[in-house]
């Protein structure tokens, strides 16, 4: 509200558009929702596990510790979250 514009008209317009789209298209099928949930799970798990296993392999080569494991695990979780977010945005 720092620019002096009222957010209410935009909110009302978006709600009306969503309702009209729902009335026109109806609810998404249950199978499509379940497929999306499964895809999101794989999109998060695969990069996370890839980071974990790659980090463990690099740490074994470097002589122990968990530096690469922790760093690549974090990177895998971030990448998986970004991929899942992108997929959800694509579904909209």
């Amino acid at each position: 509200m720092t620019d002096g514009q009222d957010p209410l008209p935009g909110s009302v317009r978006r709600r009306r558009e969503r309702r009209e789209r729902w009335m026109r298209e109806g609810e998404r099928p249950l199978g499509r929702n379940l497929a999306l949930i499964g895809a999101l799970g794989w999109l998060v798990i695969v990069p996370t596990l890839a980071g974990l296993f790659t980090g463990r392999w690099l740490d074994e080569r470097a002589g122990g510790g968990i530096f690469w494991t922790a760093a690549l695990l974090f990177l895998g979780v971030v990448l998986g979250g970004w991929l899942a977010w992108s997929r959800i945005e694509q579904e909209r």
Side-chain angles (χ1 to χ4, degrees):
M1 291 242 263
T2 58
D3 57 3
Q5 292 182 348
D6 186 13
L8 186 61
S11 177
V12 170
R13 179 183 44 77
R14 283 190 306 274
R15 182 177 169 95
R16 183 178 56 237
E17 289 170 356
R18 282 193 299 255
R19 175 130 176 95
E20 288 171 357
R21 187 177 67 221
W22 183 81
M23 294 294 285
R24 186 176 57 250
E25 297 172 6
E27 183 118 11
R28 287 191 336 186
L30 178 63
R32 187 169 176 188
N33 288 338
L34 291 174
L36 178 61
I37 291 170
L40 293 176
W42 282 107
L43 285 172
V44 173
I45 292 297
V46 169
T48 301
L49 290 178
L52 177 70
F53 291 129
T54 305
R56 292 290 296 154
W57 181 77
L58 287 171
D59 281 337
E60 287 174 5
R61 299 282 183 250
I66 63 164
F67 175 77
W68 289 110
T69 302
L72 293 178
L73 178 64
F74 178 74
L75 184 65
V77 169
V78 169
L79 177 63
W82 180 79
L83 289 171
W85 177 79
S86 297
R87 179 76 165 101
I88 290 172
E89 287 297 315
Q90 185 182 24
E91 281 292 315
R92 287 186 185 187

